[in-house]
Amino acid sequence: GNSVTQMEGPVTLSEEAFLTINCTYTATGYPSLFWYVQYPGEGLQLLLKATKADDKGSNKGFEATYRKETTSFHLEKGSVQVSDSAVYFCALSGPTGGFKTIFGAGTRLFVKA
Amino acid sequence: NAGVTQTPKFQVLKTGQSMTLQCAQDMNHNSMYWYRQDPGMGLRLIYYSASEGTTDKGEVPNGYNVSRLNKREFSLRLESAAPSQTSVYFCASRDGSNPNQPQHFGDGTRLSIL
């Protein structure tokens, strides 16, 4: 079945450091891939998405590229801020998963001033 | 834009009590979901409703029931609460006809069972 594996956290960085959170997936066909972010006390919200191979999703300085050959969708940001401290979830949906979205376990990011 | 609204935001119950968590969305989405989030466990799907009039079990349905009241509303009921059901519960909705569309989440209900 479909699955998502992302790097375990927590990840602790200093402000302005480079961020990479690894995400790999297993799926039949060509799923859509997502990164969600969860700030303390809130629900998940969409950060970015990519719907086909080689697509790059981007938002708020974050980027991720849909790599079919390595089945990966790694999240990157060139210079993190304290306000980026949150939990990040990689996820996929379709085409064989029906109406469900498969989420990774989440990676907690702490950014120090 | 209200999006997905969950009520209540916090609740404390005693073991054996029952309660219903409410969820409503105003985005005309056909698919709705209930998850629980526990420390170190990520999100686990309890039940989902692909469309109005249908409901299906997710990974962890035991001890829960759901009702898709109409297209907007999807409630989660605990008939006899147990301490193991202490968790944060999230409702989500999506345009289920298109897998490219993301899920939209409410802010959660924090439930403690003593």
Side-chain angles (χ1 to χ4, degrees):
Chain A
N2 296 345
S3 66
V4 173
T5 302
Q6 60 181 106
M7 64 187 288
E8 291 187 20
V11 174
T12 302
L13 296 173
S14 297
E15 208 165 23
E16 299 184 3
F18 184 85
L19 169 70
T20 300
I21 300 178
N22 291 336
C23 172
T24 57
Y25 67 91
T26 302
T28 304
Y30 297 89
S32 295
L33 301 175
F34 307 86
W35 276 101
Y36 290 82
V37 59
Q38 183 180 31
Y39 299 105
E42 299 182 8
L44 281 68
Q45 57 186 273
L46 178 69
L47 180 59
L48 54 84
K49 71 176 185 180
T51 59
K52 61 182 186 294
D54 300 324
D55 264 4
K56 178 185 282 188
S58 61
N59 186 26
K60 299 181 182 180
F62 291 89
E63 294 183 339
T65 300
Y66 189 140
R67 302 285 189 199
K68 181 69 175 174
E69 63 277 10
T70 55
T71 61
S72 64
F73 192 54
H74 304 322
L75 182 68
E76 296 182 335
K77 187 176 185 183
S79 177
V80 294
Q81 305 301 311
V82 172
S83 57
D84 293 326
S85 297
V87 181
Y88 293 83
F89 292 88
C90 185
L92 69 82
S93 70
T96 59
F99 294 91
K100 292 183 281 188
T101 298
I102 307 301
F103 289 90
T107 302
R108 184 174 294 276
L109 171 66
F110 293 103
V111 180
K112 302 179 298 183
Chain B
N1 288 339
V4 178
T5 302
Q6 292 184 235
T7 55
K9 294 189 185 304
F10 302 92
Q11 185 70 47
V12 178
L13 294 177
K14 294 181 179 178
T15 298
Q17 288 185 315
S18 62
M19 85 160 292
T20 300
L21 281 60
Q22 307 287 352
C23 174
Q25 52 91 10
D26 62 1
M27 294 170 283
N28 202 36
H29 288 162
N30 51 1
S31 299
M32 297 186 73
Y33 308 82
W34 276 106
Y35 295 91
R36 59 179 290 174
Q37 186 176 34
D38 302 294
M41 299 291 289
L43 286 173
R44 291 186 290 171
L45 182 64
I46 305 171
Y47 271 94
Y48 66 102
S49 172
S51 60
E52 187 178 356
T54 69
T55 61
D56 286 283
K57 296 178 180 179
E59 301 172 63
V60 289
N62 292 345
Y64 305 95
N65 286 301
V66 291
S67 295
R68 183 73 183 267
L69 304 171
N70 49 54
K71 191 170 187 180
R72 290 186 63 247
E73 298 173 285
F74 188 39
S75 63
L76 178 71
R77 182 161 178 84
L78 287 69
E79 291 290 352
S80 179
S84 61
Q85 294 177 305
T86 293
S87 189
V88 182
Y89 291 84
F90 288 100
C91 177
S93 71
R94 183 165 80 93
D95 174 3
S97 63
N98 184 347
N100 294 339
Q101 295 303 310
Q103 293 197 0
H104 297 256
F105 285 80
D107 284 337
T109 295
R110 284 145 186 83
L111 182 61
S112 293
I113 298 159
L114 307 177

